[in-house]
Amino acid sequence: MMQLIKEMNLLSTICFTWFMVVFCISGLFINFLQLLVLPLYWLKKDWYHKIIPGLAYLIYSQFTWLGEWWNKVDFKLYVSNLDDIKHFGKENSLVISNHYSDVDWLTAWIFAERVGLIGRTKIISKSETKYLPIIGWCLWFSESGFLKRNWQDDKSNINKLINSMKRNNNTFAIFVMCEGTRRTEEKLLASQEYAVKNNFIPLKHHLFPRTKGFSLLAEALHSKVAAIYDLEFAFPDIESANMQNVVNGGKIEVLMHFRRIPMNLVPNSFDGLSNFIIEHYRKKDEIYDHFVKNKTFPGLRVPLPRRKLNLIFFSIWNIFVSIFALLWLKHCVYLYGQAIVSTILFLFLFGVYLLFKTMQNYTRTNKGSKFGLKEN
């Protein structure tokens, strides 16, 4: 814990420790409510799909509060077509994003927060994610997809997600990162070697996309989703794009290019979709290359102001947790004495610290998997 304090100033340490306390207590309570709602998945699936997004928002919005109000992420949106942004959040969609920083997941959530979709998002992530306390459990209750990076197992898991989404009558967005892992220079080199070996044009700024999972998902949901949305993130100062900077309250500048591809322009066969996603990433590479050369994205810059809803909910959680903590401490000191309560409090705060370090290490690029170094 002392290492964390050394990396943060005193004010940041106190404030972020309190944030984690609020997040842990409120998050576990929400997880409990999600568990109570779980029987509806089999008894009344329509109700389940209405209730779970609202509960999920109460957890996700605490991270968007952290990024928008504590860290103040400087979010700049660029679009190819002004009409495209009007559809997002109002139709079912597959969302394809690049994946190369520690916080691109957070910036994607901030975007979803600002368009009012965050509670209804699903992600495709590695299997270990669902075991993360609070956030991982919430993603599981929200029917996100989890991959073991073994095609037979992954095919079965993706089909479960597909079948559930076919019965989902509420608007949803499934976020897919087809690169499969965060980009590093080592993985990029391995990806380029793979592309050359298999007679593909190597990409300069992205890992060669994994086609099977996307093709299975898009083929099965072709008539269920209205469009594919492409998000391309860029960080002018990539060194600042990490969770340590977020918790310190530092500034992160992020640029995002946004495109909408209607499904009637997307192939509906497995092989056709495999070719589509390869070509799609070639276009993404061109867009990112524009950023590298010009420090901006092509298209029109569109204002997308932050909403106050996450600030309101987090303020309410602060009040509830403060009251609960004071009453609990008073009650426990009366029953067990100050020494025992101090020990329990220390163990709880140490558990909060371990959870934070686990989540922080989970998002670090240099702690990522070796998946991108394997052959596609």
Side-chain angles (χ1 to χ4, degrees):
M1 190 179 293
M2 291 304 298
Q3 179 62 30
L4 178 62
I5 294 174
K6 289 178 183 178
E7 294 174 352
M8 303 167 64
N9 60 47
L10 181 60
L11 177 61
S12 294
T13 302
I14 295 171
C15 292
F16 188 74
T17 299
W18 178 247
F19 167 82
M20 286 300 298
V21 168
V22 173
F23 173 71
C24 287
I25 293 175
S26 62
L28 290 172
F29 175 68
I30 295 164
N31 283 157
F32 175 69
L33 294 180
Q34 290 173 317
L35 183 63
L36 294 181
V37 172
L38 186 59
L40 292 177
Y41 181 84
W42 296 279
L43 300 176
K44 204 75 173 176
K45 197 177 287 286
D46 231 23
W47 290 8
Y48 184 86
H49 286 149
K50 282 182 168 64
I51 296 171
I52 287 296
L55 294 175
Y57 177 77
L58 296 178
I59 291 179
Y60 301 159
S61 63
Q62 297 189 49
F63 281 101
T64 60
W65 173 87
L66 190 67
E68 292 191 292
W69 297 94
W70 173 250
N71 177 258
K72 295 183 176 64
V73 167
D74 184 11
F75 192 93
K76 298 173 181 176
L77 172 66
Y78 297 81
V79 300
S80 300
N81 188 318
L82 279 175
D83 289 334
D84 288 354
I85 194 69
K86 298 175 183 177
H87 296 280
F88 195 68
K90 299 178 177 64
E91 60 186 7
N92 296 333
S93 59
L94 298 178
V95 183
I96 300 172
S97 171
N98 61 330
H99 192 26
Y100 84 107
S101 86
D102 294 3
V103 295
D104 43 18
W105 63 273
L106 178 60
T107 51
W109 270 3
I110 287 173
F111 173 64
E113 167 76 47
R114 294 189 183 190
V115 296
L117 183 69
I118 187 169
R120 292 170 285 146
T121 59
K122 323 293 177 186
I123 69 168
I124 305 291
S125 183
K126 56 188 177 184
S127 184
E128 295 89 338
T129 306
K130 64 186 175 186
Y131 300 113
L132 282 173
I134 303 175
I135 189 69
W137 300 342
C138 181
L139 290 168
W140 184 85
F141 283 118
S142 300
E143 302 176 275
S144 285
F146 301 100
L147 306 182
K148 297 180 179 179
R149 289 161 177 170
N150 173 290
W151 177 238
Q152 292 307 314
D153 290 334
D154 292 346
K155 184 177 180 180
S156 175
N157 290 333
I158 292 173
N159 277 322
K160 289 178 183 176
L161 173 62
I162 288 168
N163 291 332
S164 182
M165 291 304 99
K166 283 182 176 180
R167 297 191 296 269
N168 190 340
N169 295 321
N170 297 295
T171 305
F172 62 83
I174 303 175
F175 280 69
V176 185
M177 294 176 173
C178 298
E179 291 167 278
T181 186
R182 278 186 290 270
R183 188 193 80 193
T184 64
E185 290 305 314
E186 187 181 10
K187 292 175 184 177
L188 182 60
L189 180 60
S191 173
Q192 291 169 340
E193 290 174 350
Y194 168 84
V196 171
K197 181 180 177 181
N198 289 273
N199 299 316
F200 292 108
I201 300 173
L203 302 175
K204 293 170 60 178
H205 309 292
H206 299 80
L207 304 182
F208 194 82
R210 312 276 164 162
T211 62
K212 289 181 180 178
F214 168 80
S215 299
L216 177 63
L217 194 64
E219 181 183 29
L221 295 177
H222 202 280
S223 61
K224 182 72 175 180
V225 302
I228 290 174
Y229 288 97
D230 180 73
L231 312 184
E232 187 69 22
F233 292 104
F235 299 87
D237 179 13
I238 188 62
E239 296 300 322
S240 71
N242 59 74
M243 282 303 296
Q244 191 61 59
N245 191 34
V246 172
V247 301
N248 284 341
K251 182 178 179 180
I252 298 176
E253 181 184 5
V254 55
L255 281 64
M256 191 191 91
H257 186 272
F258 177 89
R259 287 186 294 149
R260 178 180 184 269
I261 303 101
M263 290 305 287
N264 60 8
L265 300 180
V266 179
N268 58 6
S269 68
F270 191 92
D271 289 340
L273 285 161
S274 295
N275 293 329
F276 167 84
I277 196 62
I278 292 171
E279 184 58 34
H280 184 79
Y281 266 79
R282 190 164 293 117
K283 177 63 176 177
K284 286 174 73 67
D285 221 44
E286 293 173 3
I287 292 171
Y288 193 87
D289 199 52
H290 186 282
F291 164 76
V292 171
K293 294 174 180 176
N294 301 283
K295 304 305 178 186
T296 186
F297 278 130
L300 301 170
R301 184 175 170 188
V302 178
L304 190 67
R306 60 186 180 181
R307 304 190 304 165
K308 293 183 179 178
L309 191 60
N310 53 1
L311 176 63
I312 293 170
F313 273 113
F314 188 67
S315 299
I316 293 172
W317 279 123
N318 269 274
I319 294 170
F320 281 145
V321 170
S322 298
I323 294 172
F324 169 80
L326 287 172
L327 292 177
W328 180 84
L329 285 171
K330 181 179 179 181
H331 180 71
C332 288
V333 168
Y334 176 77
L335 288 179
Y336 307 112
Q338 187 173 347
I340 292 178
V341 172
S342 296
T343 302
I344 294 173
L345 187 59
F346 173 80
L347 292 174
F348 172 74
L349 291 176
F350 186 68
V352 167
Y353 165 75
L354 290 179
L355 176 59
F356 165 69
K357 293 304 289 184
T358 299
M359 294 172 63
Q360 185 185 43
N361 286 333
Y362 194 82
T363 64
R364 281 179 173 168
T365 300
N366 60 4
K367 297 286 186 179
S369 73
K370 303 298 182 183
F371 181 59
L373 300 177
K374 298 177 183 178
E375 280 206 348
N376 292 55

